[in-house]
Amino acid sequence: MGSTETKRCLVFILGTLGKPVPDDLSAPQQLVGVVGLEIHAQINSNTKLFSGSSVRFSAPPNSLVSFFDASLPGTLPVLNKRCVEAAVMTGLALSCTINRKSLFDRKHYFYADLPAGYQITQQRRPIAIDGVLTYSLLGGKKRSQVIRKTVNIKQIQLEQDSGKSLHDDLRSQTLIDLNRAGVGLMELVMEPDMSCGEEAAAAVRELQLILQALGTCQGNMSEGQLRVDANVSVHKPGEPLGVRSEVKNINSIRYLARAIDYEIQRQIDVLQRGGTVQNETRAYDSKSGETVPMRDKEGLQDYRFMPEPNLPPLIVYEDNASLPTGVEACQAVVVQKIREGLPELPSVKRDRLVQTYGILPEHSFTLVNEDGLVEYFEAVLKATKKEPRKVIGWVTNELMGHLKQQDMSVSQSPVSPSALAELLDLQETGHISSSVAKQVFQEMWRSAGKTAPQIIKEQDLGLVSDTAQLHSICQKVVDEHPDAVHAIRNGNKKVLNKLMGLVQKETKGRADPVLVRAILQEKTS
Amino acid sequence: MLSLTIREVSLALREGRISPTELCRKCLNRIRKTQHLNAYITVTEELALKQAEEAETRLLQGAPKGPLDGIPFAVKDNFCTENIKTTCASRMLKDYTPPYNATVVQKLLDQGAVLMGKTNMDEFAMGSGSTDGAFGPVRNPWSYTAPYREQTGTAPDSDWVVTGGSSGGSAAAVASLTSYLALGSDTGGSTRNPGALCGVVALKPTYGLLSRHGLIPLVNSMDVPGIMTRSVSDAAIVLGILQGLDFRDSTTIPTPSSLTELPEDFDVKNIRIGIPKEYHAPGLSDETVAQWSRVADMFERAGARVEQVSLPHTQHSIVCYHVLCHAEVASNMARFDGLEYGHRSTVDSSTEAMYATTRHEGFNDVVRGRILSGNYFLLRQNYQHYVVKAQKVRRLIADDFKRVFGSGVDMLLTPTTLTDAACYSDFTQEDNRTRSAQEDIFTQPVNMAGLPAVTVPTALSRRGLPIGLQLIAPNLQDEKLLRVAQWIEQRVGFPSITDCGDSSESRNSTGMTKREQTSAL
C-alpha cells in the first residue's frame, strides 16, 4: 500500500517536472486520478450557528441543546455574527470573493439526528465564492524540492451541523445526541484540481494550518472539527471526467491520502477489467485500508431545497463608510475590519522563516507544518549561540525523528527547547563532539529531566583532549593500518578521514577532532 | 360587564367597580356555560385565578401594569404557552406542553393580562371553517341569538353556523364574551375570516411588526399574529403592546411609531378610498355588496374620495397562495417525526416505519394532503414550474398594491368574506381545499403582500349573522388603518351580541343538550 502510493505520486511529480517516466512512454493513455474535496470545518465559536447553546466537544449527551436545536415548534433561527465573521475571514484568507448578499436555504431529508427534517444551508448564494488554496509538495529525487500547486475553491457556505446517532445494534436502538446539532459549519467545496492522495493530503494540511492560524476552526480531524469527503474519479488525460465516487469516513490526513489512492487504484482496476465505476458513496475502512460501499440512502435523494423564510438575506458591508444609516458598525459584519485583522498565514510565515534564519524552504515546511515546531525552533535559538542553520537540522531531524518514531506531538517532547539549547552550546564550545551530542540527545530523550552536562559527566562523554592519551591511541591505529598510511604518504589525503573515524571509534566519539587530525597528520607525514 | 370593551372594563377595574378575580370568575363561568361552542381546547382556570389575584393586588395598590392588567384573554392553540398544552388541534401535539411562551403571549402576560385558555382551530391552522381540528368544530355564537333562531326556526343544535377559520375558537371566545381579546394567527385570512363571521374586530398587522417566535408556523413568510377584540380602539391598544423588534424573530422590524390611543375623531375628508374592481367576485352575496356600497357611500358623503382601482393579478393569487403555502407546510411539518416531541407511533420495526405511521396517525387528511402536494412542488423537476412561478406572481400581486397605493390611494375597502357564515351542514359539503379557496379569496392577497388589514363588523345579515368589511393599508400604516376602521365602526352601529337575545348561556340550564362529543380523540 505504502509503496504503491509513493510510486504513483512520484510518477506524477516527475511528470509535472517534464520528465516522463518510462511507464508513461509505454502507455501514454494511462488512467489518472481526479480528486475534488468537500470539507466541513466546524466553526470555532462559543455558541451555535442559529442558537445560543454552547459548543463543546465531549460534553454529556444532550446537555448543549436549546429549544431551537431540538426543533421545538415555534422556534426560529437567529444568526450568530461570530460564525459569519469566521466564514468571511476564511474566505478572505483563501482569496475568495465575499458575496455582499448571501441567502439561506432549507435542505430536506429525514434522519434521526436532523430534528427539523431539514438543514439550513446556503445552496443558492453562499457567503464566499471563487477562491484558491495554494499548497506545496516536496518532490524531486530527494523529496527536497518544493513544488507549489493550487486548488480552486468553488465556494464556502455556512450551514448547520447535524446531531449524532449512536446505534445500539444489540438492543436494536438508536440513541440521539443533539449536542452537535446546529453547530456552525463552513462547507468548503474544492474543485477537482488534484490527482492523488498526497496532493489532497497536502492541500488539506495547508487548509488546516490556515484555519488554525485564523482561529476560525480548530481543525482537529479526529474530533470531527474538520471532516473531509473526497470525490474521486479516473480518466485519460484530455478526456471527459469519469464517473465519480464519494469517499467518506476519513478521520485523519494520513488516511485521506490512503483512501484516495486506494480508490483511484480500485477504479482503474475496475475499468481495466472492463467494468464500470458506480456513482456511489463509499466509506474508508482504516483497518483494512479499503473503501467499501455505504448502505445507500435509497437511491438518489431529492433534497427539495427551498429558501429559508425565517432568515432575511445575509448582508455584509465592505467598510464602515458603506454602512446604511441606522446600522451600527458593532452590529454589522464589515469585511474591511476583518481583512485588517487577518493574522500571518502559513505561507507568509514560511517565507519569513527562510529570510530571517537563512534556512532552506523545505525546512520551513517541516517547521510550519508541525504543530508547535516553529515555536520550539525559535525558543532553542533564543537560548543558544549556535547559528540557526546549524540548529535547524537538530530540530527537523533529531527532534522530529524521535517524535515521529513514537507518534508524539512537539508539545509532548521530553527534551525542552532550553535543554536542547544547552546541549547544542556544549557542542558549539567544543566540550563534546557532534556524534557525542547525538548520543547525549538520545539519552536525554530516554531519561527525561536529566540535563546534558549530567549525562556527559555520568557517562564520561566529555571530549578527550589529553594529548599523551590521544598520541598512544593514534599510534595504535597507525600501526594497525599500514596500507592506509602508505596511501596517505602517496598523496591520497582523504584516507586520513578513515583513520580519524577509527580513532573516534576507539574513543567512542569523544576525541577532540582538531587534535586528532593534527596528531594523525604528524604521524603519517 | 362581560360585553364591555377593554377600554371600558379596564376603567371599571381601576375604579373598583369590579375586581380582577370577580371578572375572571365571571369569564370562567361564561366559558362553562358556552362549552357547547367548543371554543376552547384548554381552559387554564387555576392559572387564570392566580393571575387575577396578582392583578388584584396591583390594582389595590394603585399600581396596575397597564391597560391590560387583570383583563381576561384567550390564545389560539398554535401559540406556545409555557407548561400549558399547545395542541394545534392535532393528534400530533395533543399532549404537547411547550417549555416557553411565544413572544406575543409573554408580552400580554407581562402586562398583567389573565390567560383564560387556549382556543380551538383547524388542525395546524389549515382551514377556513374551524371545522377540521382534532377536537371537533367550533360553533358560531351568533347561532344562538334570537335573530338567527327566529329566522331559521330550528333548534340551534341541528342548524348552527360555523365561525370561519382557522382562528374560529378565538373569534368565538371574543364574540361569546368569555375573553376581551384573543390572539389568532393570520396566514391567508385566518384571523379576519372568523372575525368577520363572528362579528368582532380582527386585525392582521403588517408582516414583521409582531414577533412570530412561539407561533407554530403554517407559512413562515405569511404568518402574522392576529388581534381580535370587540372594538377598533381595543385592537390599537393591543397592537401598541405587541408590536416591536424581537431578537428571537429575525423577520421583525422596528416599530414605525409608538402607538398610543386612537383619537376619537378622525377626519376622512380628503382621504382616498380605493374599491378594487376585482373584488366583485362570483359568489359575493347581495347583502355583502350592499354593505360594501353603504360604507363606501358613507365615506363619500364625509368628503373622502372613493374611486375604483384595479389589482389585476388578484385572480391568480389564491392558486399561487396554495402552491407557496403547501410548499412551506411540507417543510415546516417535517419536524413532526415522533422523535423529540409529540405523538409517536408504537410501530417501531424501523425508523422509517415509525416516521411513516407516526405522521399518518398524527396528521389529518388535510395536513397530509398539503404535505404531499407541497413536497411535489418542491421536487427538483417541479420547483421552477410551481414554486418559482408562484413567487413571481406573488411579487406581481404585491406590485399591484404598491402601484395603487403609490397613485395616492390611502386605503382599500373590500368585503372580508363572500357571504355571512355557512351552516355547518352546508359548509362540510365541500372539501377543505375548495372552502379555503372560497373563504380566503379576499383575504390572502394581503398576506402575499405582507400588508396590514382589518375587518370591522358592519351589520347583521337577513339571517341575523354578522357581515364584515375589510380595510387594507400600505405597509406599516397600521395606525392609520385603525383610525379609518374606527371611523367606520363609529358609524355603522353594529349591535352587541347581548342586544340580540343571546341564548348561548341559557342552553345548558334549560337542559336542551349536553355538549356534543365532537372530539376526534
Side-chain angles (χ1 to χ4, degrees):
Chain A
M1 188 57 222
S3 65
T4 45
E5 172 190 335
T6 316
K7 190 177 153 201
R8 193 163 36 251
C9 277
L10 204 60
V11 166
F12 170 82
I13 290 160
L14 293 174
T16 58
L17 293 176
K19 296 181 203 161
V21 296
D23 271 9
D24 279 347
L25 289 176
S26 59
Q29 285 296 87
Q30 206 180 5
L31 289 162
V32 296
V34 176
V35 181
L37 300 176
E38 281 175 27
I39 298 173
H40 288 89
Q42 241 180 37
I43 298 171
N44 183 19
S45 61
N46 294 328
T47 56
K48 295 183 182 181
L49 182 56
F50 297 120
S51 80
S53 330
S54 299
V55 175
R56 214 162 55 236
F57 186 71
S58 75
N62 294 311
S63 62
L64 309 173
V65 186
S66 71
F67 300 155
F68 175 80
D69 304 329
S71 80
L72 293 196
T75 53
L76 299 169
V78 180
L79 184 58
N80 181 344
K81 188 179 161 208
R82 155 70 193 159
C83 293
V84 178
E85 288 171 339
V88 169
M89 187 180 244
T90 305
L92 290 174
L94 295 171
S95 312
C96 288
T97 302
I98 306 298
N99 277 328
R100 295 292 169 260
K101 175 176 158 186
S102 60
L103 304 167
F104 289 97
D105 303 282
R106 291 182 179 179
K107 176 182 180 178
H108 300 87
Y109 60 96
F110 280 103
Y111 206 77
D113 54 26
L114 186 75
Y118 57 82
Q119 175 198 37
I120 304 179
T121 176
Q122 294 194 300
Q123 188 232 359
R124 287 167 300 163
R125 200 169 163 79
I127 182 115
I129 52 167
D130 297 338
V132 63
L133 171 69
T134 304
Y135 65 97
S136 296
L137 294 171
L138 294 180
K141 275 182 194 154
K142 289 169 153 179
R143 298 182 64 75
S144 63
Q145 189 164 357
V146 176
I147 301 164
R148 200 165 281 234
K149 299 201 138 280
T150 60
V151 51
N152 288 304
I153 311 280
K154 182 168 175 254
Q155 65 187 56
I156 301 176
Q157 66 200 44
L158 281 165
E159 62 184 33
Q160 298 172 295
D161 209 340
S162 63
K164 275 183 184 165
S165 295
L166 307 154
H167 301 288
D168 180 348
D169 289 335
L170 223 59
R171 270 171 273 186
S172 69
Q173 273 187 331
T174 299
L175 302 168
I176 308 294
D177 179 6
L178 293 181
N179 281 352
R180 206 182 66 179
V183 169
L185 296 178
M186 295 178 278
E187 183 181 333
L188 294 100
V189 182
M190 289 186 185
E191 301 282 12
D193 299 339
M194 293 157 287
S195 58
C196 67
E198 193 188 354
E199 283 188 9
V204 170
R205 179 60 186 141
E206 186 68 9
L207 176 70
Q208 197 177 32
L209 290 169
I210 291 171
L211 295 174
Q212 285 166 345
L214 298 174
T216 57
C217 171
Q218 294 184 338
N220 188 331
M221 282 183 78
S222 62
E223 286 185 5
Q225 289 156 347
L226 198 67
R227 302 195 281 274
V228 183
D229 298 336
N231 290 314
V232 178
S233 65
V234 296
H235 76 148
K236 289 174 182 167
E239 290 185 5
L241 295 182
V243 176
R244 69 192 167 117
S245 64
E246 187 179 8
V247 185
K248 287 178 177 281
N249 199 31
I250 302 167
N251 58 19
S252 79
I253 289 183
R254 202 184 317 163
Y255 290 155
L256 173 68
R258 288 186 193 170
I260 289 170
D261 287 332
Y262 175 87
E263 184 58 18
I264 290 172
Q265 193 55 52
R266 187 192 69 81
Q267 291 187 10
I268 289 173
D269 292 347
V270 166
L271 292 175
Q272 285 176 346
R273 277 201 311 269
T276 49
V277 174
Q278 300 297 310
N279 177 214
E280 61 181 351
T281 306
R282 299 177 71 87
Y284 179 66
D285 179 355
S286 58
K287 282 190 192 121
S288 65
E290 295 174 354
T291 67
V292 289
M294 277 173 90
R295 258 182 304 160
D296 213 46
K297 299 178 219 162
E298 286 172 45
L300 265 182
Q301 285 258 353
D302 190 323
Y303 292 118
R304 290 159 287 129
F305 283 101
M306 64 166 241
E308 166 56 64
N310 293 319
L311 290 166
L314 166 57
I315 309 285
V316 299
Y317 301 95
E318 178 53 37
D319 47 34
N320 283 342
S322 57
L323 289 177
T325 46
V327 177
E328 297 198 21
C330 61
Q331 298 165 337
V333 174
V334 180
V335 175
Q336 185 60 32
K337 210 168 71 189
I338 296 169
R339 193 179 282 122
E340 282 162 8
L342 279 176
E344 184 182 55
L345 293 178
S347 58
V348 179
K349 190 182 238 179
R350 289 189 196 102
D351 293 346
R352 177 175 62 83
L353 290 170
V354 168
Q355 280 179 3
T356 312
Y357 301 119
I359 58 175
L360 294 170
E362 65 255 37
H363 285 149
S364 74
F365 270 89
T366 313
L367 282 183
V368 171
N369 286 22
E370 200 61 41
D371 272 337
L373 198 58
V374 172
E375 291 74 12
Y376 189 101
F377 174 64
E378 291 186 323
V380 175
L381 289 184
K382 260 189 199 154
T384 179
K385 295 176 199 76
K386 215 174 172 71
E387 262 186 75
R389 278 197 295 188
K390 288 184 181 169
V391 175
I392 188 70
W394 276 90
V395 170
T396 57
N397 296 332
E398 304 305 317
L399 177 72
M400 281 313 298
H402 279 79
L403 288 172
K404 282 218 170 118
Q405 206 170 24
Q406 294 177 37
D407 205 16
M408 288 160 78
S409 65
V410 174
S411 63
Q412 290 171 310
S413 165
V415 179
S416 69
S418 58
L420 177 59
E422 189 178 21
L423 171 65
L424 296 183
D425 275 350
L426 287 169
Q427 189 205 342
E428 190 67 14
T429 51
H431 283 84
I432 50 171
S433 67
S434 68
S435 58
V436 165
K438 283 174 188 168
Q439 232 179 296
V440 174
F441 183 81
Q442 275 186 16
E443 191 54 38
M444 287 165 75
W445 194 274
R446 271 197 297 272
S447 36
K450 272 193 188 168
T451 64
Q454 274 178 320
I455 293 167
I456 291 165
K457 199 176 167 193
E458 275 173 23
Q459 302 194 6
D460 192 20
L461 294 170
L463 222 49
V464 179
S465 42
D466 178 336
T467 320
Q469 194 186 345
L470 286 179
H471 262 287
S472 78
I473 294 168
C474 287
Q475 192 58 56
K476 187 173 162 238
V477 169
V478 166
D479 292 347
E480 283 169 4
H481 297 86
D483 295 353
V485 176
H486 187 68
I488 293 166
R489 286 189 177 138
N490 282 343
N492 192 354
K493 303 286 182 201
K494 278 185 186 168
V495 180
L496 190 74
N497 290 339
K498 185 190 169 189
L499 295 182
M500 280 190 66
L502 291 167
V503 174
Q504 288 296 7
K505 202 176 170 187
E506 285 285 318
T507 59
K508 290 176 188 142
R510 290 158 54 221
D512 184 334
V514 182
L515 265 177
V516 173
R517 178 170 288 273
I519 296 169
L520 284 176
Q521 273 168 350
E522 182 196 313
K523 289 190 190 292
T524 54
S525 60
Chain B
M1 188 61 67
L2 288 181
S3 62
L4 298 180
T5 62
I6 292 174
R7 192 194 279 249
E8 292 160 349
V9 79
S10 186
L11 191 66
L13 285 171
R14 279 158 204 254
E15 290 176 348
R17 280 182 276 135
I18 190 166
S19 77
T21 42
E22 273 177 85
L23 188 63
C24 180
R25 285 218 172 81
K26 273 181 189 287
C27 285
L28 288 169
N29 205 25
R30 176 95 182 157
I31 289 173
R32 266 191 294 279
K33 286 176 175 168
T34 56
Q35 229 176 46
H36 56 279
L37 298 178
N38 204 16
Y40 290 83
I41 290 173
T42 303
V43 178
T44 49
E45 181 164 349
E46 246 175 74
L47 176 79
L49 285 168
K50 186 173 153 275
Q51 289 177 326
E53 278 167 30
E54 288 164 9
E56 191 152 331
T57 310
R58 287 190 295 268
L59 280 155
L60 284 172
Q61 290 166 346
K65 288 183 163 180
L68 296 188
D69 207 352
I71 308 284
F73 76 105
V75 174
K76 188 178 182 179
D77 213 17
N78 59 350
F79 287 94
C80 289
T81 42
E82 189 176 350
N83 299 326
I84 299 166
K85 267 200 274 187
T86 299
T87 67
C88 284
S90 175
R91 296 168 69 97
M92 185 60 87
L93 293 179
K94 76 177 167 62
D95 296 315
Y96 176 64
T97 304
Y100 73 101
N101 282 324
T103 298
V104 284
V105 171
Q106 189 61 51
K107 282 186 166 183
L108 291 175
L109 294 174
D110 290 345
Q111 288 288 318
V114 176
L115 178 65
M116 307 310 291
K118 304 294 295 292
T119 59
N120 204 349
M121 55 189 282
D122 287 301
E123 181 162 334
F124 282 101
M126 297 183 208
S128 54
S130 300
T131 52
D132 282 323
F135 299 95
V138 187
R139 298 177 178 207
N140 193 320
W142 290 88
S143 311
Y144 301 91
T145 57
Y148 178 75
R149 293 178 60 190
E150 281 159 16
Q151 180 266 322
T152 54
T154 52
D157 268 339
S158 62
D159 211 12
W160 50 274
V161 298
V162 300
T163 53
S166 64
S167 313
S170 285
V174 175
S176 65
L177 316 179
T178 59
S179 281
Y180 290 85
L181 85 102
L183 293 180
S185 61
D186 195 312
T187 310
S190 278
T191 297
R192 287 161 289 155
N193 174 285
L197 299 187
C198 292
V200 302
V201 173
L203 169 68
K204 176 238 172 256
T206 300
Y207 182 84
L209 203 53
L210 267 61
S211 169
R212 293 180 293 112
H213 172 250
L215 167 61
I216 299 178
L218 175 59
V219 184
N220 301 281
S221 63
M222 299 191 215
D223 290 345
V224 175
I227 296 167
M228 291 172 160
T229 55
R230 292 185 202 133
S231 78
V232 175
S233 113
D234 284 0
I237 293 172
V238 178
L239 177 66
I241 284 161
L242 296 185
Q243 68 182 1
L245 267 181
D246 179 8
F247 75 89
R248 293 182 191 84
D249 176 359
S250 309
T251 63
T252 52
I253 47 177
T255 311
S257 65
S258 57
L259 226 156
T260 47
E261 287 197 5
L262 289 182
E264 281 296 316
D265 301 313
F266 179 70
D267 190 2
V268 296
K269 197 177 279 178
N270 300 325
I271 76 159
R272 286 171 65 183
I273 301 288
I275 307 287
K277 65 175 183 192
E278 289 80 5
Y279 282 55
H280 288 277
L284 184 60
S285 77
D286 294 343
E287 283 183 291
T288 307
V289 173
Q291 286 304 314
W292 194 7
S293 306
R294 175 190 167 215
V295 174
D297 290 344
M298 280 181 187
F299 275 115
E300 209 148 38
R301 278 197 302 276
R305 201 167 125 193
V306 178
E307 56 198 285
Q308 195 185 64
V309 297
S310 176
L311 302 165
H313 297 96
T314 302
Q315 50 175 325
H316 307 295
S317 191
I318 191 77
V319 179
C320 296
Y321 169 78
H322 281 147
V323 171
L324 297 174
C325 171
H326 294 197
E328 276 199 44
V329 162
S331 175
N332 287 333
M333 294 295 138
R335 70 187 58 214
F336 300 104
D337 56 14
L339 282 183
E340 276 82 15
Y341 42 79
H343 175 71
R344 186 193 288 195
S345 169
T346 50
V347 173
D348 62 352
S349 53
S350 72
T351 310
E352 285 72 19
M354 195 271 281
Y355 286 160
T357 46
T358 293
R359 290 165 69 78
H360 184 85
E361 292 163 7
F363 294 138
N364 70 7
D365 290 350
V366 177
V367 178
R368 289 207 307 276
R370 291 197 190 183
I371 291 172
L372 192 67
S373 54
N375 276 320
Y376 175 80
F377 299 143
L378 288 175
L379 286 177
R380 198 183 293 120
Q381 75 263 27
N382 296 336
Y383 187 78
Q384 287 292 326
H385 191 60
Y386 289 96
V387 180
V388 171
K389 206 175 262 182
Q391 281 173 329
K392 286 181 178 166
V393 179
R394 180 180 187 176
R395 174 60 59 89
L396 292 175
I397 288 160
D399 288 348
D400 276 355
F401 284 110
K402 235 183 241 168
R403 194 174 337 98
V404 167
F405 289 130
S407 74
V409 169
D410 294 287
M411 220 140 285
L412 300 175
L413 178 69
T414 79
T416 312
T417 57
L418 288 168
T419 64
D420 57 3
C423 292
Y424 178 70
S425 51
D426 292 337
F427 189 84
T428 47
Q429 293 297 307
E430 295 283 0
D431 66 10
N432 179 291
R433 202 189 108 68
T434 311
R435 283 300 179 203
S436 296
Q438 293 167 346
E439 292 292 326
D440 294 342
I441 187 87
F442 299 136
T443 46
Q444 46 72 33
V446 163
N447 298 81
M448 297 279 270
L451 305 171
V454 65
T455 179
V456 182
T458 58
L460 293 182
S461 67
R462 280 187 295 274
R463 294 163 69 211
L465 298 173
I467 295 173
L469 290 181
Q470 174 178 240
L471 278 171
I472 303 169
N475 259 316
L476 297 171
Q477 302 262 342
D478 303 62
E479 186 180 350
K480 188 171 179 189
L481 175 79
L482 292 176
R483 287 178 180 217
V484 178
Q486 184 173 256
W487 187 91
I488 298 175
E489 178 185 63
Q490 287 164 341
R491 278 153 188 84
V492 290
F494 183 77
S496 162
I497 199 166
T498 47
D499 301 333
C500 296
D502 172 31
S503 64
S504 40
E505 263 203 40
S506 59
R507 196 160 145 272
N508 277 351
S509 50
T510 55
M512 282 168 71
T513 48
K514 290 196 76 175
R515 180 190 166 203
E516 197 181 346
Q517 269 305 324
T518 43
S519 167
L521 297 171

